[in-house]
Amino acid sequence: MIDKERVREVIAKRVAKEFKDGDVVNLGIGLPTEVANYIDKDVEVILQSENGFIGLGPAPEEGKEDKDLVNAGAKFVTIKEGGACFDSAMSFAIIRGGHVDATVLGALQVDEEGNLANWMIPGKMVPGMGGAMDLVVGAKRVIIAMEHTAKGAPKILKKCTLPLTAAKEVNLIVTEMGVIEVTEKGLVLKEIAPDTTVEEVLRATEANLIISPELKVMEV
């Protein structure tokens, strides 16, 4: 049986390695918020929360939650020394103004062209696209953090079948099986998980994958 918590941990830990000193990063709701718990303490990353503050810290210890301090997904968080709170207008000015170096988002589907579908399934009630539509075009780099399949069905496709959030904006896909870069030539498999083979990744992926000649094992 697959340990879902371990899968999420692997993905979040690997995504956390993508950042460098000084990066301003926005973490989407769901799995991406867990990335904050694994950023190296020696790397100074500034996390922006869509609901109105900068300086997002890791999840608080149990019993030490502040009911007035939550992220965009309404989960309890901490704020680092020097952090600041502001209104929604300022939050989206940061995003739309191109001041976010990277955003990490979840996805329902991603395809060979870097198209992203992550906001609705036809026939199901949804609250709306939300800030994702601003993040994918405003951030300098778009990283998708998601499980490789959904109930056994591939999520990395030749062409998205669900309504798009944005076209050709995804730069990197991180799953529990590997790391895939979106390039002009197509999707390049750059890393695979320690307990995974290339054949297994190919079977779980509908899209065509280019195997990097420098393929390496994911560090998690």
Side-chain angles (χ1 to χ4, degrees), residues 108-117 154-164 166-168 187 205-208:
L108 295 169
Q109 296 176 344
V110 183
D111 69 22
E112 292 178 358
E113 296 183 333
N115 296 323
L116 169 66
K155 295 174 68 175
I156 303 173
L157 310 175
K158 292 181 183 296
K159 196 76 175 174
C160 289
T161 58
L162 295 174
L164 296 185
K168 300 181 180 180
L187 301 181
T205 309
E206 181 195 275
N208 293 315

Side-chain angles (χ1 to χ4, degrees), residues 172-184:
L172 194 72
I173 306 165
V174 179
T175 78
E176 76 280 12
M177 298 186 81
V179 178
I180 299 169
E181 183 178 11
V182 182
T183 74
E184 291 182 358

